[in-house]
Amino acid sequence: MDQASPPPSLCIVVPCYNEEDALPETAHTLFSLLKSMVEDGAVSPESYICFVNDGSSDRTWQVVESLMGQSRAFRGVNLSRNFGHQGALLAGLFTADADAYVSIDADLQDDEQKIREMVKLYREGKDIVYGCRDNRDTDTWFKRTTAQLFYKLREWAGCYTIPNHADYRLMSRRAVDALKQFREVNLFIRGIIPLLGFPSAKVYYARKAREQGESKYPLRKMVALAWNGVVNFSEAPLMLCVIVGLLGIMICVALAAWTVWRWYIGATIPGWASLLLVISVFSSLQFLFLGIIGLYIGKMMRETKHRPVFIVQNDCTRR
């Protein structure tokens, strides 16, 4: 996009789940930023902030409604129940209408000022701009270590993602339209975006500490997200089952040969304990492999059901 062309309309998509306490300050910060960008001619006056309420159990939606009553710069999408962060993010991207979209979490731990740089890169012709952390100093040692293991695991499994990037990014309308073509239910957005193939860039920032509320991504959800990323993009776990199965067969053959040799030389084999051990080990492996295969079958079942990723209860994006 030529810098001399009219400024684009920008939609800042903010997924929210039980963010009643954080929303007022978040709204004020993003509104001030958006107003400044409009005054500078970086984005058009039609730009706005879209809050997506992901089935919150507190007063999050009431706060959003109050904000919409204060300014046309605030809009909202209220989901009928909790669909998870990825579903809420897609609801905002697919429901809102703009030339460019920036997704950012409601806690504003990501540096919102980098949106200026993202828009600048967009106007230079980039369809996707990734927000990447330049350090993980605000994380605990455990989270830093598991995050690095997470990236290595996905790389091993053939799932390419942008290192130290979560869901803070800018996407053009063209990129969002392309994302809509992926019809799978278990959509791993961080892995899908690089597959779009449009011109992209990165901006780096230091992640801030969370000031209000608590993280909506505990270890349980992080592990689930990591697993979803692996099984959605790779058959590596299945191949691992095949390799381990082949190794098991080789061990069985070796044990059989050893047993025949002991019988040939007239030596006796110890009692049932060793036999029970072998049976137990291989029975356990079989259960493990069946479990992994079952997870794949479960995902296939959910895909064939074609359940919606999100359901909009109130659409207040067009005013």
Side-chain angles (χ1 to χ4, degrees), residues 49-234:
I49 303 160
C50 180
F51 295 103
V52 182
N53 178 40
D54 186 23
S56 299
S57 58
D58 62 2
R59 298 185 64 259
T60 294
W61 180 242
Q62 286 76 10
V63 173
V64 173
E65 289 181 315
S66 175
L67 291 170
M68 290 190 293
Q70 298 172 22
S71 172
R72 292 178 60 85
F74 296 119
R75 306 185 190 183
V77 174
N78 185 31
L79 303 187
S80 60
R81 62 172 175 83
N82 177 249
F83 285 88
H85 182 271
Q86 302 287 281
L89 179 55
L90 289 175
L93 293 175
F94 292 176
T95 307
D97 183 29
D99 294 323
Y101 306 79
V102 169
S103 56
I104 188 170
D105 289 344
D107 54 24
L108 290 189
Q109 287 186 268
D110 302 314
D111 185 2
E112 72 281 350
Q113 294 299 323
K114 289 295 180 177
I115 294 178
R116 293 180 178 273
E117 189 175 342
M118 289 180 173
V119 172
K120 180 176 181 295
L121 289 167
Y122 164 76
R123 301 190 70 181
E124 292 175 357
K126 304 300 183 184
D127 284 277
I128 304 170
V129 182
Y130 301 99
C132 302
R133 300 173 61 174
D134 57 8
N135 65 74
R136 306 188 71 95
D137 293 342
T138 58
D139 289 346
T140 62
W141 174 88
F142 178 77
K143 190 166 185 177
R144 285 197 301 270
T145 303
T146 52
Q148 294 304 317
L149 289 174
F150 177 39
Y151 290 121
K152 290 183 181 299
L153 174 63
R154 289 189 298 192
E155 182 179 354
W156 165 78
C159 173
Y160 176 71
T161 54
I162 306 299
N164 295 317
H165 164 73
D167 288 305
Y168 182 33
R169 72 178 71 86
L170 177 145
M171 297 181 68
S172 67
R173 184 198 298 268
R174 180 172 67 166
V176 171
D177 288 342
L179 181 62
K180 292 177 181 179
Q181 298 179 41
F182 289 81
R183 305 306 301 169
E184 61 224 59
V185 174
N186 297 287
L187 193 64
F188 183 61
I189 302 177
R190 300 179 197 180
I192 290 290
I193 301 299
L195 297 181
L196 299 181
F198 294 118
S200 62
K202 302 176 185 177
V203 297
Y204 293 90
Y205 66 96
R207 187 172 172 85
K208 297 175 288 186
R210 186 180 178 97
E211 295 181 358
Q212 298 186 34
E214 59 183 15
S215 173
K216 303 306 184 297
Y217 258 100
L219 179 60
R220 175 180 58 83
K221 288 188 176 182
M222 288 298 295
V223 171
L225 182 65
W227 177 253
N228 194 40
V230 170
V231 299
N232 275 9
F233 287 85
S234 174

